[in-house]
Each structure stands twice: as C-alpha cells, then as structure tokens.
Amino acid sequence: MKIKKTVIRTAVVCCAAAAIAAGGTIAYLTDYDRTVNEFTVGKVDIELEEPNWKPEDNTKIEPTQQIRKDPQVKNAGVNDAFVYLEVSIPTADVITADASGNRIDRKNTELFTFTKKADWTQLEAKTVGTNRVYTFAYNKVLKPGQTTTTLFDTVTFANVIEGQIDTRQFDIPVNAYAIQTVNTGGDGGTVVQQATEAYKKYVQQNNGQTGGVTK
C-alpha cells in the first residue's frame, strides 16, 4: 500500500510539470517599435537691397557730387550665414583737383569714393581690368530674416577736370555673397576670422561658376 501511494504522488507531480512546460511554449512577452528620422535640407538665400538708390536721379552727375547708394543684405533663407559685399569702382587716367582747387597731375584714379560702416571689415582689394574691386565681410552672423546695416550710404564722384570723360557712362557693380556658418569657418576665433575662412571656401567652391567672385 505504501508503494502504491508513492507512485500516485509521483504521477501527479509529473503532470503538473508537463503543464508548466506546455504553457511556456505557447506565448512570449513581445514588443515592437519603429522610428523614422526625417532630414530637411537647409537653404542659404540672400537678397541684395539698395533702398535709397534712384538711378533716374543720376544720369547727369557732376564732379564732387554725392550720390545716395546704400547696399545691404537680407537673409531670406533658413540657415545662419556669413555674408559679404563686393564693390567694383571704375577707374580712369584723368587729371583731378583737390578740395582747394589745386590741380593734381594725370594718374589712374578711382572715380568714386565711399566710407564703409563699422559693421563691415575689408577682406581684400584688387584690380580687375579697369576697376578696383573691394570685398567686405559683415562682422556678425546674419540670421534668417535679418538684414545687415548698409555698407555705406553714399558715393562721391571724383573732382575730374571738365572735358576728360564727358558723356561717358560708368557703373558701380555690387555683388552679395553668402555661405552657411556650419562647418565653414573653423572652430574658433572671432566672427570676422570665421567669415574669412568661410570666404576662402566660397571662392574655391564657386571658382568659374555663376556666383563666383569677380576675377
């Protein structure tokens, strides 16, 4: 009788163990998740403005005349940018006079002069053909929607003695450039130093392309 009872208890234990094992193979605790990373490409976009420039008022300029011309740049894009203005001043081999009327011998002379604002730093000056070309960097990072201060507000025509360049037409081309601030200006230094490094990259990237600097 004792042996029989032992056999019965063993059988019950085995059945319970089998039930637990069977339950473990039927279901697992599971989970699932997914992420999609979206990337939107930025945009560097600028607008060159001259609010007070009126070409119709400057068709018959005279020596020493001051002309309203006020280039500035607006960031119309979505990225922070370093911005630059390039001004090409025409030159001519002429005789001029100083403010007191004293005659200055014939020499190659810039026909217009201007005084830049403190918010701009000159990066370079070079002669291209018959023009003297100046490039300036804005001293601040230009954020989307912001507009720079003007580079200058007026230009003044040289005191050229009459008869040398009468009826000739002269242009003052102004170009604006911009480049993203991220990964272009280096890791340190002032904004101007960073803008200078970024300008080198802009020149290299756009060499020989539309939008390249004047050469």
Side-chain angles (χ1 to χ4, degrees), residues 75 80-83 138-143 146 181 191 194:
N75 186 345
D80 292 353
F82 297 121
V83 296
Y138 194 51
N139 295 348
K140 306 172 185 177
V141 171
L142 195 63
K143 296 185 175 299
Q146 291 184 339
T181 57
V191 171
Q194 293 176 22

Side-chain angles (χ1 to χ4, degrees), residues 154-206:
T154 61
V155 294
T156 302
F157 186 49
N159 192 12
V160 180
I161 293 178
E162 294 181 5
Q164 299 176 86
I165 54 176
D166 289 356
T167 72
R168 288 177 60 182
Q169 183 175 355
F170 296 97
D171 299 320
I172 305 178
V174 178
N175 294 321
Y177 308 111
I179 188 170
Q180 69 185 54
T181 57
V182 178
N183 300 325
T184 60
D187 298 327
T190 66
V191 171
V192 173
Q193 290 171 329
Q194 293 176 22
T196 301
E197 289 302 310
Y199 179 71
K200 296 175 184 177
K201 293 181 174 66
Y202 182 95
V203 172
Q204 185 64 28
Q205 177 175 302
N206 294 281

Side-chain angles (χ1 to χ4, degrees), residues 2 29 32 78 83 86 103 115 135 145 159:
K2 291 181 180 179
L29 296 177
Y32 173 76
V78 298
V83 296
E86 178 192 85
R103 185 185 183 96
T115 301
T135 303
N159 192 12

Side-chain angles (χ1 to χ4, degrees), residues 51-153:
N52 293 306
W53 165 247
K54 297 180 180 180
E56 65 276 9
D57 293 342
N58 301 293
T59 58
K60 297 178 181 179
I61 62 173
E62 299 174 350
T64 72
Q65 181 175 336
Q66 192 175 77
I67 303 162
R68 298 183 71 179
K69 186 174 177 64
D70 49 351
Q72 61 187 29
V73 181
K74 179 179 180 180
N75 186 345
V78 298
N79 289 77
D80 292 353
F82 297 121
V83 296
Y84 314 86
L85 280 172
E86 178 192 85
V87 184
S88 296
I89 302 297
T91 66
D93 193 31
V94 291
I95 301 169
T96 58
D98 63 20
S100 300
N102 299 310
R103 185 185 183 96
I104 300 175
D105 291 340
R106 181 182 299 276
K107 66 176 182 178
N108 192 50
T109 303
E110 295 182 22
L111 297 180
F112 298 89
T113 57
F114 59 85
T115 301
K116 78 169 185 67
K117 297 290 188 66
D119 286 338
W120 296 85
T121 297
Q122 182 176 316
L123 297 187
E124 62 180 3
K126 58 189 177 183
T127 299
V128 180
T130 58
N131 282 12
R132 188 66 174 163
V133 181
Y134 297 92
T135 303
F136 302 88
Y138 194 51
N139 295 348
K140 306 172 185 177
V141 171
L142 195 63
K143 296 185 175 299
Q146 291 184 339
T147 301
T148 67
T149 57
T150 56
L151 175 59
F152 48 78
D153 292 328

